[in-house]
Amino acid sequence: MRTMLVLAMLAFAMPAYAANHAVQIKGMKFNPSKVSVAVGDTITFTNADPMTHTATAGDGSFDTGDLASGKSARVKIAKAGSHPFHCAIHSSMKGVVTAK
Ligand SMILES: [Cu+2]
């Protein structure tokens, strides 16, 4: 009985599981360009292009900064809602993160 109680308390104390999502930047595109996450999740952007890119949210909720070729950066999505993002260097590159 006591063991059950301790186990229940441990389970309650565990932090919520936060997932990491991967987005590759290749051919001047974000892949995937639409990312659905839970609040608190992280996204790793990896630049597989020869030129520098960024993944910059229009609402300021995240920004990888300059990602040189082969570099990656992980950002945390802290707010619920729709967060359109783009490359600050190439304005045609767009995507959206939807957090619930
Ligand atoms: Cu770019």
Side-chain angles (χ1 to χ4, degrees):
M1 192 63 193
R2 190 177 169 82
T3 306
M4 289 294 287
L5 183 63
V6 170
L7 284 176
M9 287 169 68
L10 277 175
F12 195 71
M14 294 273 267
Y17 178 71
N20 182 55
H21 306 261
V23 174
Q24 191 180 53
I25 309 172
K26 194 172 186 180
M28 300 281 288
K29 286 177 180 165
F30 296 102
N31 185 27
S33 61
K34 293 180 179 174
V35 191
S36 294
V37 307
V39 172
D41 283 359
T42 53
I43 302 173
T44 300
F45 290 92
T46 300
N47 182 9
D49 263 347
M51 72 290 273
T52 297
H53 295 299
T54 79
T56 305
D59 62 6
S61 58
F62 65 88
D63 189 357
T64 61
D66 285 355
L67 282 180
S69 179
K71 298 290 184 185
S72 63
R74 184 148 72 153
V75 299
K76 186 169 185 170
I77 309 303
K79 285 185 182 173
S82 181
H83 307 295
F85 64 92
H86 59 278
C87 173
I89 300 165
H90 311 100
S91 59
S92 65
M93 296 173 60
K94 290 175 182 171
V96 62
V97 173
T98 306
K100 287 178 183 170

